[in-house]
Amino acid sequence: MKKKGFIFDLDGVIVDTAKYHFLAWKKLANSIGIDFSEEQNEQLKGVSRKASLEKILAWGNVTLTEEEFAELMSKKNEDYLGYINEMNEEEILPDVPKILNFILGKNQGVALGSASKNAKSILEKVNLLNKFEAIVDGNEVSKAKPDPEVFEIAAREIGMEPHNCIVFEDSLAGIQAANAIDMCSIGIGDATVLKDADFVFKDFTEISTDFINQLIND
Ligand code: B16
Ligand code: MG
């Protein structure tokens, strides 16, 4: 049987942590007099913590010292971790375990490729840590999506060539990152937003095991 590498993004693909990022960023933005909407939160999907705070400050026209910036970053994360600590398996998005277990059952490579520095804690909370052969997250990556670095490292760690990898992603930047190194890109979410993806599904309930078999044998 052929072997492919399947690389999963975390937030928006395996779990919906965007709602917790929203609560933590909103509290923080409001505390320094900046409004923060759900639409703005959408623009932070897949964006690193540092770049997210830079964007929020730019929206509110606020400049900070380096110390203040660092303090706000850790405040936001502390607040966010409060939500993460309450997570459990019930927060895994529908049919993710089904597809993940199917892929593992076919002895395929499986890796995580996320911008989050909290990826390991989140996977641990939802009891999926042992499913991944490699976990590449915000602690190992210096260039953010759409740069393909995160997926490049993930492919290397599972011993696969990029053109034999398939990426599941909910952000356009992530889709562009996958396309940039000739990986097959599968968008999870809205087809109009994820317009550059090779395939788009609303969520994993729309993905069949036949489709996964096709990807493996392509
Ligand atoms: P952290 P992903 C991303 O996760 C989130 O989509 C994004 O909103 C967040 O700012 C980023 O992780 C960094 O997260 O503060 O936990 O390091 O979609 O790349 O899995
Ligand atoms: Mg994501």
Side-chain angles (χ1 to χ4, degrees):
M1 188 192 284
K2 290 191 180 172
K3 186 164 181 182
K4 294 282 167 65
F6 289 83
I7 306 175
F8 290 75
D9 174 52
L10 180 62
D11 176 27
V13 169
I14 295 176
V15 286
D16 175 24
T17 42
K19 58 185 183 217
Y20 302 135
H21 282 296
F22 173 69
L23 293 171
W25 279 131
K26 186 172 168 55
K27 186 174 165 193
L28 187 104
N30 292 170
S31 77
I32 50 169
I34 303 176
D35 285 336
F36 186 67
S37 65
E38 301 247 13
E39 289 68 38
Q40 284 168 315
N41 194 53
E42 278 300 305
Q43 295 180 49
L44 303 183
K45 281 192 174 172
V47 176
S48 74
R49 196 182 313 162
K50 183 166 176 278
S52 298
L53 183 53
E54 282 164 356
K55 271 180 183 263
I56 292 170
L57 295 176
W59 288 329
N61 234 331
V62 171
T63 0
L64 297 177
T65 64
E66 246 177 67
E67 291 75 34
E68 288 166 333
F69 189 95
E71 199 185 307
L72 289 193
M73 286 251 288
S74 65
K75 242 193 193 164
K76 185 268 172 180
N77 199 46
E78 230 172 76
D79 205 32
Y80 176 67
L81 286 178
Y83 296 108
I84 297 309
N85 272 329
E86 300 299 313
M87 286 182 87
N88 60 41
E89 288 171 38
E90 282 169 25
E91 297 215 29
I92 301 172
L93 291 170
D95 279 2
V96 169
K98 176 185 147 192
I99 297 299
L100 191 53
N101 288 330
F102 181 80
I103 292 169
L104 287 167
K106 299 267 168 187
N107 292 316
Q108 303 296 301
V110 173
L112 189 92
S114 163
S116 173
K117 294 191 173 182
N118 299 303
K120 280 197 182 120
S121 327
I122 296 169
L123 286 178
E124 205 165 21
K125 280 281 166 193
V126 300
N127 210 9
L128 286 178
L129 193 58
N130 61 356
K131 304 272 181 193
F132 294 87
E133 197 180 324
I135 292 173
V136 185
D137 62 18
N139 298 297
E140 281 154 86
V141 168
S142 56
K143 293 176 233 141
K145 301 166 189 173
D147 189 285
E149 186 185 19
V150 62
F151 298 141
E152 224 162 13
I153 301 175
R156 197 185 315 135
E157 288 195 7
I158 56 174
M160 301 297 305
E161 290 292 333
H163 70 269
N164 283 325
C165 289
I166 296 112
V167 170
F168 296 105
E169 248 293 340
D170 72 313
S171 73
L172 181 62
I175 293 294
Q176 290 165 340
N179 292 344
I181 43 170
D182 201 23
M183 291 183 172
C184 171
S185 55
I186 303 188
I188 302 294
D190 185 339
T192 49
V193 177
L194 303 170
K195 54 187 182 339
D196 295 345
D198 293 321
F199 304 92
V200 182
F201 299 96
K202 192 170 60 56
D203 56 35
F204 279 80
T205 65
E206 288 191 346
I207 301 182
S208 68
T209 50
D210 281 351
F211 175 69
I212 300 293
N213 272 330
Q214 267 175 43
L215 294 172
I216 295 172
N217 294 310
D218 248 3

